Amino acid sequence: MKTEITLQSVPEEKPGFIAIILYVAFVYGLFWGINQCLMYFFQDITNELLIKTLNNILWIGFMFLHYKVVKYFLHLINKQRKRPVIYPVLGISREGINYYTESKEMVWGSISEIQIIDSVLSVTVDLNPKKDFKLNLSKTDLHTQMTQEIFEKLLKYHYKKEVYIYNTPSSCGCGC
């Protein structure tokens, strides 16, 4: 059995360029459709002042929406261009647990409780509650290194007290 492991973060998924282009095409198609519908509803209005006022309100609204679309488009492009940052999150060794994200090191004797509930690891330290932490294991590379069952066995091997494990059964969607 492996007695030491370091879990690393999983970079978030990036949007593809095709998805970004389809998003922009959809939004501008939606703008065009809304514009055509509004033109149809406003064709019966004969008051010229009302038409100019409504036209200016619509123009300002479309410019605001255009600003939001371009801003989000640029956000997606920047997100696509960033390199993924992978950093260590959790280290398990013979001595204890090291939670790198918040620089929390604990020896096995100081830990009062370890729980894994629906792939969320919770570590509790009674003497120093500032060292308590929760970690979502699905946001780490645990499943590329080992299965969750082997990880649970590794925790039980090092932590001599009870490790509480609870997994909610998956729902079939039938209301049972």
Side-chain angles (χ1 to χ4, degrees):
M1 180 182 277
K2 194 173 181 182
T3 59
E4 190 168 311
I5 185 172
T6 301
L7 298 180
Q8 296 182 348
S9 66
V10 175
E12 67 180 65
E13 226 174 276
K14 295 179 181 183
F17 283 117
I18 296 202
I20 294 170
I21 291 170
L22 288 176
Y23 162 75
V24 170
F26 171 75
V27 169
Y28 282 114
L30 193 62
F31 282 175
W32 179 82
I34 291 171
N35 188 27
Q36 293 301 315
C37 288
L38 292 175
M39 295 287 280
Y40 176 75
F41 287 121
F42 291 153
Q43 73 184 7
D44 293 335
I45 298 175
T46 56
N47 188 349
E48 198 170 308
L49 179 64
L50 183 61
I51 290 174
K52 285 184 179 184
T53 305
L54 289 174
N55 198 10
N56 287 337
I57 290 171
L58 287 175
W59 186 79
I60 290 171
F62 278 133
M63 291 309 294
F64 176 74
L65 289 175
H66 176 72
Y67 164 76
K68 289 293 190 180
V69 167
V70 169
K71 185 177 174 183
Y72 189 67
F73 176 71
L74 292 175
H75 166 73
L76 290 176
I77 294 294
N78 283 336
K79 193 175 185 181
Q80 176 67 29
R81 294 182 69 209
K82 286 184 183 174
R83 291 183 180 247
V85 177
I86 299 173
Y87 53 90
V89 178
L90 183 73
I92 296 176
S93 65
R94 283 185 230 124
E95 293 81 30
I97 293 180
N98 189 358
Y99 185 53
Y100 295 108
T101 308
E102 296 177 10
S103 300
K104 295 180 179 180
E105 259 184 74
M106 293 153 274
V107 293
W108 293 112
S110 67
I111 298 173
S112 62
E113 185 177 62
I114 295 179
Q115 296 179 351
I116 300 177
I117 301 173
D118 294 332
S119 295
V120 176
L121 173 70
S122 299
V123 177
T124 307
V125 180
D126 279 341
L127 300 176
N128 192 355
K130 291 179 183 176
K131 288 192 172 190
D132 295 353
F133 69 89
K134 288 186 177 186
L135 173 66
N136 190 344
L137 295 173
S138 62
K139 294 184 178 180
T140 65
D141 66 343
L142 173 68
H143 297 292
T144 59
Q145 294 187 26
M146 63 178 67
T147 64
Q148 187 163 335
E149 290 80 25
I150 294 174
F151 179 74
E152 292 165 1
K153 288 179 184 178
L154 180 67
L155 281 176
K156 289 177 182 179
Y157 175 76
H158 288 297
Y159 184 65
K160 301 305 178 196
K161 298 177 188 174
E162 182 70 28
V163 176
Y164 300 101
I165 300 167
Y166 180 74
N167 291 316
T168 305
S170 59
S171 173
C172 62
C174 61
C176 303

